[in-house]
Coordinates of all heavy atoms in Angstrom, one line a residue:
Chain A
R421 N -25.9 4.5 -31.2 CA -24.8 5.1 -30.4 C -24.3 4.2 -29.3 O -25.1 3.4 -28.8 CB -25.2 6.4 -29.9 CG -25.7 7.4 -30.9 CD -26.3 8.6 -30.3 NE -25.2 9.4 -29.7 CZ -25.4 10.7 -29.4 NH1 -26.5 11.4 -29.6 NH2 -24.4 11.4 -28.8
V422 N -23.1 4.3 -29.0 CA -22.5 3.5 -27.8 C -23.1 4.1 -26.5 O -23.3 5.3 -26.4 CB -21.0 3.6 -27.8 CG1 -20.4 2.8 -28.9 CG2 -20.5 5.0 -27.8
V423 N -23.4 3.2 -25.6 CA -23.9 3.7 -24.3 C -22.7 4.3 -23.5 O -22.9 5.3 -22.9 CB -24.5 2.5 -23.5 CG1 -24.9 2.9 -22.1 CG2 -25.7 1.9 -24.2
R424 N -21.5 3.7 -23.7 CA -20.3 4.3 -23.2 C -19.2 3.7 -23.9 O -19.3 2.7 -24.6 CB -20.2 4.1 -21.6 CG -20.2 2.6 -21.2 CD -19.9 2.5 -19.7 NE -18.6 2.9 -19.5 CZ -18.2 3.9 -18.7 NH1 -19.1 4.6 -17.9 NH2 -16.9 4.3 -18.5
G425 N -18.0 4.4 -23.8 CA -16.8 3.9 -24.6 C -16.7 4.4 -26.0 O -17.3 5.4 -26.3
M426 N -16.1 3.6 -26.8 CA -15.7 4.1 -28.2 C -15.9 3.0 -29.2 O -15.2 3.0 -30.2 CB -14.3 4.6 -28.2 CG -13.3 3.8 -27.4 SD -13.3 2.1 -27.5 CE -13.1 1.6 -25.8
A427 N -16.8 2.0 -29.0 CA -17.0 1.0 -29.9 C -17.4 1.6 -31.3 O -17.1 1.0 -32.4 CB -18.1 0.0 -29.5
D428 N -18.1 2.7 -31.3 CA -18.4 3.4 -32.6 C -17.2 3.7 -33.4 O -17.3 3.9 -34.6 CB -19.3 4.6 -32.3 CG -18.7 5.6 -31.4 OD1 -17.8 5.2 -30.5 OD2 -19.0 6.8 -31.5
R429 N -16.1 3.9 -32.8 CA -14.8 4.2 -33.5 C -14.2 2.9 -34.0 O -13.2 3.0 -34.9 CB -13.8 4.9 -32.6 CG -14.4 6.2 -32.0 CD -14.4 7.4 -33.0 NE -13.1 7.7 -33.4 CZ -12.8 8.3 -34.6 NH1 -13.8 8.5 -35.5 NH2 -11.6 8.7 -34.9
L430 N -14.6 1.8 -33.5 CA -13.9 0.5 -33.8 C -14.7 -0.4 -34.7 O -14.2 -1.1 -35.6 CB -13.6 -0.3 -32.6 CG -12.5 0.4 -31.6 CD1 -12.4 -0.3 -30.3 CD2 -11.2 0.5 -32.3
L431 N -16.0 -0.4 -34.6 CA -16.9 -1.3 -35.3 C -16.7 -1.1 -36.9 O -16.6 -2.1 -37.6 CB -18.4 -1.2 -34.9 CG -18.7 -1.8 -33.6 CD1 -20.0 -1.3 -33.1 CD2 -18.7 -3.3 -33.6
P432 N -16.6 0.1 -37.3 CA -16.5 0.3 -38.8 C -15.2 -0.4 -39.3 O -15.2 -0.9 -40.4 CB -16.4 1.8 -39.0 CG -17.1 2.4 -37.8 CD -16.8 1.4 -36.7
A433 N -14.1 -0.4 -38.5 CA -12.9 -1.0 -39.0 C -13.1 -2.5 -39.2 O -12.4 -3.2 -39.9 CB -11.8 -0.8 -38.0
E434 N -14.1 -3.1 -38.4 CA -14.4 -4.5 -38.6 C -15.5 -4.7 -39.6 O -16.0 -5.8 -39.8 CB -14.9 -5.0 -37.2 CG -13.9 -4.9 -36.1 CD -12.8 -6.0 -36.2 OE1 -13.2 -7.2 -36.2 OE2 -11.6 -5.7 -36.2
G435 N -15.9 -3.6 -40.3 CA -17.0 -3.7 -41.3 C -18.4 -3.9 -40.7 O -19.3 -4.4 -41.3
V436 N -18.5 -3.4 -39.4 CA -19.8 -3.7 -38.7 C -20.5 -2.3 -38.6 O -19.9 -1.3 -38.1 CB -19.5 -4.3 -37.3 CG1 -20.8 -4.5 -36.6 CG2 -18.8 -5.6 -37.5
E437 N -21.8 -2.3 -38.9 CA -22.6 -1.1 -38.7 C -22.7 -0.8 -37.2 O -22.9 -1.7 -36.4 CB -24.0 -1.4 -39.3 CG -25.0 -0.3 -39.3 CD -26.3 -0.7 -39.8 OE1 -26.6 -0.7 -41.0 OE2 -27.2 -1.2 -38.9
V438 N -22.7 0.5 -36.9 CA -22.9 0.8 -35.4 C -24.4 0.8 -35.1 O -25.0 1.9 -35.1 CB -22.2 2.2 -35.2 CG1 -22.4 2.6 -33.7 CG2 -20.8 2.2 -35.6
S439 N -24.9 -0.3 -34.9 CA -26.3 -0.5 -34.5 C -26.4 -1.8 -33.8 O -25.5 -2.7 -33.9 CB -27.2 -0.5 -35.7 OG -27.1 -1.7 -36.4
C440 N -27.5 -2.0 -33.1 CA -27.7 -3.3 -32.5 C -27.9 -4.4 -33.5 O -27.6 -5.6 -33.2 CB -28.9 -3.3 -31.5 SG -30.5 -2.9 -32.3
V441 N -28.3 -4.1 -34.7 CA -28.4 -5.1 -35.8 C -26.9 -5.4 -36.3 O -26.6 -6.6 -36.4 CB -29.1 -4.5 -37.0 CG1 -29.3 -5.6 -38.1 CG2 -30.5 -4.0 -36.6
G442 N -26.1 -4.4 -36.4 CA -24.8 -4.6 -36.8 C -24.0 -5.6 -35.9 O -23.4 -6.5 -36.3
V443 N -24.2 -5.3 -34.6 CA -23.4 -6.2 -33.6 C -24.0 -7.6 -33.6 O -23.3 -8.6 -33.5 CB -23.5 -5.5 -32.2 CG1 -22.8 -6.4 -31.2 CG2 -22.8 -4.1 -32.3
A444 N -25.3 -7.7 -33.7 CA -25.9 -9.0 -33.7 C -25.4 -9.8 -34.9 O -25.1 -11.0 -34.9 CB -27.5 -8.9 -33.8
T445 N -25.3 -9.1 -36.0 CA -24.7 -9.8 -37.3 C -23.3 -10.2 -37.0 O -22.9 -11.3 -37.5 CB -24.8 -8.7 -38.4 OG1 -26.1 -8.2 -38.5 CG2 -24.4 -9.4 -39.7
Y446 N -22.5 -9.4 -36.4 CA -21.1 -9.7 -36.1 C -21.0 -10.9 -35.2 O -20.0 -11.7 -35.4 CB -20.6 -8.4 -35.3 CG -19.1 -8.4 -34.9 CD1 -18.1 -8.5 -35.9 CD2 -18.7 -8.2 -33.6 CE1 -16.8 -8.4 -35.6 CE2 -17.4 -8.0 -33.3 CZ -16.4 -8.2 -34.2 OH -15.1 -8.1 -33.9
Y447 N -22.0 -11.2 -34.4 CA -22.0 -12.4 -33.5 C -22.8 -13.5 -34.1 O -23.0 -14.5 -33.4 CB -22.7 -12.0 -32.2 CG -21.9 -11.0 -31.3 CD1 -22.6 -10.2 -30.4 CD2 -20.5 -11.0 -31.2 CE1 -21.9 -9.3 -29.5 CE2 -19.8 -10.1 -30.4 CZ -20.6 -9.3 -29.5 OH -19.9 -8.4 -28.7
R448 N -23.3 -13.4 -35.3 CA -24.4 -14.3 -35.7 C -24.0 -15.8 -35.8 O -24.9 -16.7 -35.7 CB -24.9 -13.9 -37.1 CG -23.9 -14.1 -38.2 CD -24.4 -13.5 -39.5 NE -25.6 -14.1 -40.0 CZ -26.2 -13.7 -41.1 NH1 -25.8 -12.7 -41.8 NH2 -27.3 -14.4 -41.5
D449 N -22.7 -16.1 -35.9 CA -22.4 -17.5 -35.9 C -22.6 -18.3 -34.6 O -22.6 -19.5 -34.6 CB -20.9 -17.7 -36.3 CG -19.9 -17.1 -35.4 OD1 -20.1 -15.9 -35.1 OD2 -18.9 -17.7 -35.0
F450 N -22.8 -17.6 -33.5 CA -23.1 -18.2 -32.2 C -24.2 -17.6 -31.4 O -24.6 -18.2 -30.4 CB -21.8 -18.3 -31.4 CG -21.2 -16.9 -31.1 CD1 -21.8 -16.2 -30.0 CD2 -20.1 -16.4 -31.8 CE1 -21.2 -14.9 -29.8 CE2 -19.6 -15.1 -31.5 CZ -20.2 -14.4 -30.5
L451 N -24.7 -16.4 -31.8 CA -25.6 -15.7 -31.0 C -27.0 -16.3 -31.2 O -27.5 -16.4 -32.3 CB -25.6 -14.2 -31.3 CG -26.5 -13.3 -30.4 CD1 -25.9 -13.3 -29.0 CD2 -26.6 -11.9 -31.0
D452 N -27.7 -16.7 -30.1 CA -29.1 -17.2 -30.1 C -30.1 -16.2 -29.8 O -31.2 -16.3 -30.3 CB -29.2 -18.4 -29.1 CG -28.2 -19.5 -29.5 OD1 -28.3 -20.1 -30.6 OD2 -27.3 -19.8 -28.7
A453 N -29.8 -15.2 -28.9 CA -30.8 -14.3 -28.5 C -30.1 -13.0 -28.1 O -29.0 -12.9 -27.7 CB -31.5 -14.8 -27.2
W454 N -30.8 -11.9 -28.3 CA -30.2 -10.5 -28.2 C -31.2 -9.6 -27.5 O -32.4 -9.5 -27.9 CB -30.0 -10.1 -29.7 CG -29.0 -8.9 -29.9 CD1 -29.3 -7.9 -30.8 CD2 -27.7 -8.7 -29.4 NE1 -28.2 -7.0 -30.8 CE2 -27.2 -7.5 -30.0 CE3 -26.9 -9.4 -28.5 CZ2 -25.9 -7.0 -29.7 CZ3 -25.7 -8.8 -28.2 CH2 -25.2 -7.7 -28.8
V455 N -30.7 -8.9 -26.5 CA -31.6 -8.0 -25.8 C -31.2 -6.6 -26.3 O -30.1 -6.2 -26.2 CB -31.3 -8.1 -24.3 CG1 -32.2 -7.0 -23.5 CG2 -31.6 -9.5 -23.8
I456 N -32.2 -5.9 -26.8 CA -32.0 -4.6 -27.3 C -32.8 -3.5 -26.6 O -33.8 -3.9 -25.9 CB -32.3 -4.5 -28.9 CG1 -33.8 -4.7 -29.2 CG2 -31.4 -5.4 -29.6 CD1 -34.2 -4.5 -30.6
D457 N -32.5 -2.3 -26.7 CA -33.2 -1.2 -26.0 C -34.5 -0.9 -26.7 O -34.6 -1.0 -27.9 CB -32.2 0.0 -25.9 CG -32.7 1.0 -24.8 OD1 -32.5 0.7 -23.6 OD2 -33.4 2.0 -25.2

Side-chain angles (χ1 to χ4, degrees):
Chain A
R421 304 174 66 164
V422 290
V423 175
R424 53 174 297 122
M426 41 42 228
D428 55 331
R429 304 282 295 152
L430 295 173
L431 286 165
E434 300 281 305
V436 178
E437 183 186 274
V438 183
S439 74
C440 61
V441 186
V443 178
T445 308
Y446 186 55
Y447 292 151
R448 68 190 295 180
D449 60 310
F450 59 80
L451 188 67
D452 300 298
W454 196 225
V455 178
I456 64 174
D457 195 79

